[in-house]
Amino acid sequence: MTSMPRAIRPAALAAALLCLAPAAVTAPPAFAVVERFATDPLAPGHALPFYAEGDVADRFTFLPEEPPRFPGDRRGTLRVPYATTLPAARIFTPLGGVASLDQDFAFGAILTIRSEGFEADPNGFSQIAFGLWNGHTTGIDRTGFPSDSFDLIEFDYFANVGPFGGPFLSPTVFGGEVGGNAFFNFAFQSSETRLPLDTPLLCQFRYAASDRALTLTVSRPASGLTFAPLPGAGVTVDLSRLSPTFLVDAAGIAAYFEGAPSLHAVVDYDLLYVGKLPAPWGVAARRAPARPPAASTRPGPRKTDR
């Protein structure tokens, strides 16, 4: 378990300033982060450096003997209890660069929400979360008001079903600081959809700079090494009104504190990536809806007086 060195944070800020240079606008970031959780990400000497903040001991447990769940998976998983009465915690790894609104990028994860012990209070509203953030500016008090989670792009699944509906798949993006509260500069979009339990879910984000649009799709295993999109589990967020933009330089998994038993969900992570979806997996293309038969141009049968 390692805390993020102070020396990394000024470097991340310098990289963020370079990102604003004109040359950076035209050059897409070459991120290639792949963590398959086949070994403990917080163990010394791990291939990717992961840093920890908060109550990590109660929030993150590596299970080396957990069997593979889907084709291409490896033994081992990172288990994360989203229990809203526990103190907040998160782990993350540097991207090796900075992403902003000016460049296309992609990231995602494969996770499984376990049915055992699953509880979502209908009077609560709490999320399962992972994403991209800034190692210098993004605080851990995401659920507070004011919130200090500036510069954050997050997968949020609110499993609670309350008077206003649910569950909700609601990706959320916070830009740079405005007025000391992250909620003064953020964007989100929601789809009312229930994600299946005990099923590996491929959650993919793609950001298109030309449209200022961030799209999330969730897929489940289909055939072999292929995943297929879940109906209704797709959301696009318009980021054109964020000002100032986000600057993110790390990828990770977060579990937040609420103070009330709003949610208890144990989630197993088997992949966290930034860049292209890593081999050997792929996603089946959606089939185009069948077209109705073309209308005939030949004259139909004529009526007779018989």
Side-chain angles (χ1 to χ4, degrees), residues 15-31:
L17 295 175
L18 288 175
C19 181
L20 299 178
V25 172
T26 57
F31 301 135

Side-chain angles (χ1 to χ4, degrees), residues 143-157:
T143 57
F145 195 90
S147 169
D148 63 359
S149 294
F150 312 104
D151 298 296
L152 170 64
I153 306 171
E154 191 167 72
F155 171 94
D156 285 322
Y157 176 58

Side-chain angles (χ1 to χ4, degrees), residues 7 20 49 60 70 83 93 108 110 118 130 166 172 186 191 212 237 248 259 270 276 280 297 302 306:
L20 299 178
F60 297 91
F70 50 92
T93 186
I110 296 179
F118 180 87
F130 72 87
T172 307
F186 82 112
S191 172
R212 292 291 196 261
V237 187
V248 294
D270 291 299
K276 294 182 178 179
T297 58
R302 296 180 179 178
R306 288 185 298 177

Side-chain angles (χ1 to χ4, degrees), residues 106-110 130 155 201-207 214-219 227-229 233-235 271 273 275-278 281-284:
F107 70 98
I110 296 179
F130 72 87
F155 171 94
L201 300 173
L202 171 60
C203 308
Q204 295 177 285
F205 280 95
R206 295 183 181 86
Y207 172 68
L214 179 72
T215 298
L216 166 65
T217 57
V218 180
S219 305
F227 285 75
V235 190
L271 175 69
Y273 74 94
K276 294 182 178 179
L277 177 65
W281 299 292
V283 178

